[in-house]
Amino acid sequence: NAAVYKRDVGSVNVKATSSLVAKASRNGMVGRRRALNSFIKGPLVAAGLSRIPIAKGEQNEQVDVYFGCGCFWHVQHEFVDLEKKLLGRWGADLTSIAGYAGGKSRGSEGKVCYHNLRQLADYGRLGHAEVVGMRIPLDNLHDFAKRYFELFVKYELPGVTIIDRADPQDKGSEYRSLLGLPEGMKSPHFKTIQNAAIEVLGPTWSLAEGRGNEPDTLLQKRVYVMDSKKFPFFAAEPYHQFHNDFQSPPYGKEYNSLKTVLMDASKIRETGCPGANMI
């Protein structure tokens, strides 16, 4: 008898019960870790990310940033789409890479890895969250920040409206909302981020200075702003790159094949992280 709400994400409708977090997985919103355990068999290759060159024809000053809110699969897809439409990038010129950031520590040899049975450099244990890193023209920072804040979706519940990340069934600090840019809130470009947040989410959301290893932000109306010089981006393993999201239709073979394109271009490299044994 639980009341049902509908969440609209683009053209995708997901139904769940009126309990935003506790009951979401009972209505088909399967946690990503469980889904990965079901789909991935055998060893997988780990990956890294080389320093991204400026795409041909781009003369504007570039800035390295990252954004995270929930699982990085759908976030990567959104920013790849924006790079294509706004910057005219495609193939090896794309820079949006799934990864980890926001933690105070890293594992042996500087590794940061996905959950694994060996517990080697586990990103969650190290205090990191899932993010997507990219290199964009500084002139387009507002456009990319605005798209990030648009990823927070509206849930219509009986008597209340909630705006939060698109996958509340994935809970924990690994899925907290954060973004990173050089110098963080002290950056001369932070005002651009702040204006985009107010434009999309209104004045009730807070942008808080990130100090590393923050807790989950679910239902807190908060995004942590990290100084990416102190809290750098670490590329995720290749099996996470250009991956379909389980809450939406498949993105298509052309999108999925970008993993091979960027690996061939040495934009994604091995990191030495464990492969398939995820928990």
Side-chain angles (χ1 to χ4, degrees):
N1 295 324
V4 175
Y5 71 85
K6 180 184 291 184
R7 190 199 73 209
D8 294 318
V9 185
S11 61
V12 181
N13 293 330
V14 179
K15 291 184 178 180
T17 65
S18 60
S19 175
L20 177 62
V21 178
K23 299 181 182 179
S25 61
R26 301 180 188 176
N27 289 269
M29 298 172 69
V30 180
R32 188 268 316 275
R33 297 183 199 174
R34 185 183 306 171
L36 269 174
N37 284 330
S38 299
F39 280 93
I40 299 179
K41 306 291 182 182
L44 294 170
V45 180
L49 175 65
S50 63
R51 188 163 180 79
I52 302 170
I54 297 174
K56 186 176 180 181
E58 293 181 7
Q59 302 300 324
N60 295 332
E61 182 181 354
Q62 307 286 303
V63 60
D64 293 312
V65 295
Y66 57 76
F67 299 98
C69 58
C71 174
F72 45 24
W73 289 344
H74 75 278
V75 176
Q76 183 181 31
H77 178 263
E78 293 296 330
F79 283 114
V80 166
D81 188 61
L82 189 58
E83 283 194 82
K84 289 166 55 181
K85 293 179 178 178
L86 188 62
L87 304 180
R89 294 175 177 173
W90 185 246
D93 287 336
L94 292 165
T95 68
S96 295
I97 300 296
Y100 315 108
K104 296 180 180 179
S105 306
R106 62 188 73 182
S108 61
E109 301 178 0
K111 294 185 179 70
V112 177
C113 306
Y114 192 70
H115 305 299
N116 58 89
L117 293 178
R118 292 168 55 190
Q119 298 183 8
L120 175 65
D122 183 305
Y123 81 104
R125 292 173 178 267
L126 294 173
H128 293 275
E130 298 189 9
V131 299
V132 174
M134 65 207 69
R135 174 171 290 183
I136 59 175
L138 192 56
D139 289 347
N140 296 111
L141 179 59
H142 179 270
D143 301 300
F144 279 77
K146 180 179 178 182
R147 186 69 193 100
Y148 168 65
F149 292 116
E150 289 172 344
L151 297 180
F152 295 86
V153 297
K154 182 180 295 186
Y155 300 86
E156 297 290 352
L157 305 179
V160 64
T161 298
I162 295 173
I163 298 177
D164 219 299
R165 62 180 183 246
D167 46 6
Q169 76 282 0
D170 281 333
K171 295 171 288 187
S173 61
E174 299 100 314
Y175 307 106
R176 66 188 183 268
S177 301
L178 74 168
L179 62 89
L181 74 161
E183 300 183 67
M185 296 181 73
K186 296 179 181 178
S187 167
H189 309 297
F190 170 68
K191 188 67 175 179
T192 300
I193 301 288
Q194 190 176 45
N195 288 341
I198 294 173
E199 179 181 347
V200 177
L201 298 175
T204 61
W205 277 65
S206 66
L207 299 178
E209 182 179 5
R211 302 181 184 277
N213 293 47
E214 280 80 19
D216 197 355
T217 54
L218 189 63
L219 303 179
Q220 300 301 310
K221 292 187 177 182
R222 179 182 302 121
V223 175
Y224 287 105
V225 180
M226 315 302 296
D227 180 348
S228 58
K229 294 181 179 180
K230 296 179 180 178
F231 301 96
F233 170 83
F234 298 88
E237 300 81 351
Y239 59 84
H240 281 305
Q241 306 297 339
F242 308 102
H243 198 292
N244 293 327
D245 183 63
F246 285 111
Q247 292 184 196
S248 62
Y251 297 135
K253 293 182 179 180
E254 186 177 33
Y255 176 79
N256 301 145
S257 68
L258 288 172
K259 176 180 69 175
T260 301
V261 172
L262 268 71
M263 290 186 72
D264 290 344
S266 299
K267 300 288 186 68
I268 300 173
R269 297 180 177 180
E270 294 187 8
T271 63
C273 290
N277 295 322
M278 281 162 280
I279 56 176

